[in-house]
Amino acid sequence: DIFKTNVKEGGEGPSETRRSTPDINQGEKESASSSADTDNESSSKQSNLSNVEEVSKRTGKRKAAAADEEQPQAKRRKDLPTKKNLINAQRAEFEAKYKQQNQLGKGGYGCVFAGYRKADNLPVAIKHITKQKGQNGKQLPSEVAVMLKLQAGKTGLSGESAAVSLLDWYDLDQELILVLERPVPCMDLLRYVRGNGGALHEEKAKIILKQLIDAAVQLEDNCIFHRDIKMENILIETSSDVPRVRLIDFGLSCSFEKQSVYRAFGGTLQHAPPEWHFCHSYRPGSTTVWQIGVALFELLHRKGRFDTTRFLRRELTISNELSKNCQDFLQKSLNPCDMMRPTLKELQLHPWLS
């Protein structure tokens, strides 16, 4: 932002000088006045002249004082930081603190790069987001606001399933830079499944689903709607025998209220819940349950990517080779009627996850 200072002109204008007006009538009456009167008149004139000079001096001093006041104010105005200087300072701070490396991904929003924090070599993900036209520069970006809100609601328990943390962010006018936690080693769930033959066994899928639902409940408890939970936005930490789930990409996320209904779709259209196709509206809780069902379907089936319209036309079906409890979990979470789907907390208690 540019800070503006209105410099007011200081000082007062010159004061009026009161001069003595000669009394003509009095002069005629006293034409025979003595020399003493003449001396008094000269003295009076001299006094008037001195008054004019004194007032002139005072006026000059006030003008000089006004000029002295304007000069430091003008100097301060020149010293104020410009918008360009502020942006350059933010960029310099980012470059001094972090080292950017190879590109990890690219999308409509911008790019994500690997990197590290110079002070301690902490691995980070550096996300460059191109701002949309008309975006209010003074308003806290929604992705930043959501992640800060989520971090404020964390319990701080070690091993907790949750979103990756926002470490820093920089607003560079036309671009936003987010510096995020980058678990190492890790990969997104899509790559993880493909590396395991294109589908997971139920027991391994169950470990991931439990954590995913816990993370979704944490978001819901903080009134945050992710809107785009899918394989590419689920990271799997592979540093131990038990994979750990982390949620990423809150670019479409938002805060919600209990009765919130959305009529503009945000997310992956192929995974849009049936109610969007039927009546162009959807709710946070039931949509998130649908997206979790989609993720589980893709974990367990080698039928390619899920598509809601194909599923509704029965071109994609739940495998009868899965356990009864697993089939029941999928049928409930992928119920075409949003009112018939269980809540996230009801899903936590499903027999398949026990």
Side-chain angles (χ1 to χ4, degrees), residues 91 94 100 105 107-113 125-131 172 174-180:
R91 190 180 296 279
F94 162 71
Q100 183 169 292
Y109 58 84
C111 302
V112 179
F113 295 84
I126 300 169
K127 186 174 182 179
H128 293 259
I129 303 170
T130 304
K131 286 189 178 179
L172 305 182
Q174 300 303 313
E175 181 185 49
L176 189 68
I177 298 178
L178 305 187
V179 182
L180 304 156

Side-chain angles (χ1 to χ4, degrees), residues 307-325:
D307 184 273
T308 298
T309 54
R310 291 185 63 204
F311 183 78
L312 295 175
R313 292 197 298 261
R314 300 183 182 277
E315 294 174 14
L316 295 175
T317 57
I318 297 169
S319 172
N320 57 15
E321 294 181 5
L322 299 171
S323 68
K324 295 297 182 182
N325 280 338

Side-chain angles (χ1 to χ4, degrees), residues 76-235:
R76 286 197 297 272
R77 179 170 56 185
K78 289 179 182 179
D79 291 342
L80 288 173
T82 64
K83 187 175 184 180
K84 184 177 180 180
N85 289 341
L86 290 171
I87 292 170
N88 289 338
Q90 287 241 335
R91 190 180 296 279
E93 181 185 336
F94 162 71
E95 291 174 352
K97 196 170 181 181
Y98 298 99
K99 174 66 176 177
Q100 183 169 292
Q101 298 173 305
N102 57 296
Q103 183 173 305
L104 297 175
K106 185 176 182 180
Y109 58 84
C111 302
V112 179
F113 295 84
Y116 62 88
R117 189 165 59 193
K118 293 181 180 179
D120 55 5
N121 292 323
L122 177 75
V124 297
I126 300 169
K127 186 174 182 179
H128 293 259
I129 303 170
T130 304
K131 286 189 178 179
Q132 300 299 315
K133 289 183 179 180
Q135 188 172 345
N136 186 353
K138 294 182 180 180
Q139 187 176 5
L140 190 65
S142 60
E143 185 168 1
V144 173
V146 163
M147 296 197 76
L148 291 176
K149 180 180 179 182
L150 181 59
Q151 285 173 215
K154 280 185 178 180
T155 63
L157 297 174
S158 60
E160 181 184 30
S161 298
V164 294
S165 297
L166 176 68
L167 303 177
D168 264 322
W169 64 283
Y170 301 88
D171 192 341
L172 305 182
D173 191 27
Q174 300 303 313
E175 181 185 49
L176 189 68
I177 298 178
L178 305 187
V179 182
L180 304 156
E181 175 188 8
R182 178 165 62 93
V184 176
C186 72
M187 64 181 73
D188 68 50
L189 188 53
L190 182 62
R191 290 176 54 204
Y192 182 81
V193 171
R194 287 175 177 172
N196 281 269
L200 300 183
H201 295 295
E202 270 191 43
E203 291 306 310
K204 204 163 192 176
K206 187 185 299 186
I207 293 171
I208 292 171
L209 253 289
K210 279 184 178 180
Q211 295 181 62
L212 180 58
I213 295 170
D214 288 345
V217 168
Q218 184 190 26
L219 295 184
E220 186 175 69
D221 287 345
N222 285 278
C223 297
I224 294 171
F225 181 22
H226 188 286
R227 300 178 83 164
D228 199 22
I229 293 177
K230 61 181 180 179
M231 305 276 270
E232 295 91 330
N233 290 337
I234 301 168
L235 284 186

Side-chain angles (χ1 to χ4, degrees), residues 261-264 273-283 338:
V261 177
Y262 295 85
R263 304 187 190 282
E275 55 270 24
W276 167 253
H277 294 279
F278 297 151
C279 54
H280 289 276
S281 67
Y282 57 102
R283 299 176 183 273
D338 60 329

